[in-house]
Amino acid sequence: IDLNGHTLTNNAEAYFFMIMDNAKVVFTDSSEENTGKVITNVDAPAVWVVGTETLVTVKDGYFQTVSEGGVMHSTHGGDLVIEGGEFKTTAERTNLLIMLNSKDRQNSKFFISGVATVTIKGGIFHGFNPSLVGDDKGATSIEDIKFVDGCADGYAPIQIDENTYGVEEAEAKI
């Protein structure tokens, strides 16, 4: 899905991008200014990856939601790979601000055997340090989580400003 500088806005009480059934989707933004956006103004993630063999890769674009549940979900065996892009939630929640949510709940009517994953290899995250998965900064959901521990192997967070982090390839240590 090439955002190509466009802003897609969800104001309906429904999921915006629910990607499932073995789909393979890549989000990019080919605009010269890199201004493509997905904005969700309801309590729903901008992107929800559902089911085994379902893979979503984010290379570019800006993703924002007001949802307390996170900007992006990967559930029921889905795989989400963050290689780039920018992520922000404007949800007001006192104890946990969820940016990326990855869980498999066996009691869910949608449960499919499999482990959902989120792999972070890049991107810019507002209000979220991707190296602090599972702490009170709110990287993941609290219950029944299966989450790749922080950044992917070979990648490390960099602090851009007081409350914004990026991810880049880590320098090899000799």
Side-chain angles (χ1 to χ4, degrees), residues 96-139:
L96 180 65
L97 178 62
I98 300 173
M99 182 69 67
L100 304 171
N101 189 341
S102 174
K103 62 183 174 179
D104 278 314
R105 293 173 30 165
Q106 291 188 6
N107 60 348
S108 166
K109 66 181 178 178
F110 301 110
F111 180 75
I112 300 169
S113 179
V115 175
T117 64
V118 176
T119 304
I120 305 169
K121 296 180 175 181
I124 296 173
F125 302 89
H126 296 272
F128 165 64
N129 180 342
S131 70
L132 302 176
V133 171
D135 79 346
D136 64 355
K137 297 293 184 200

Side-chain angles (χ1 to χ4, degrees), residues 19-24 48-57 73-81 101-104 110 112-119 146-148:
I19 301 165
M20 55 194 304
D21 295 332
N22 304 316
K24 309 291 186 255
W48 189 6
V49 184
V50 182
T52 56
E53 304 299 319
T54 303
L55 171 65
V56 171
T57 303
H73 287 200
S74 179
T75 62
H76 312 102
D79 295 307
L80 172 61
V81 178
N101 189 341
S102 174
K103 62 183 174 179
D104 278 314
F110 301 110
I112 300 169
S113 179
V115 175
T117 64
V118 176
T119 304
K146 305 270 196 269
F147 197 90
V148 174

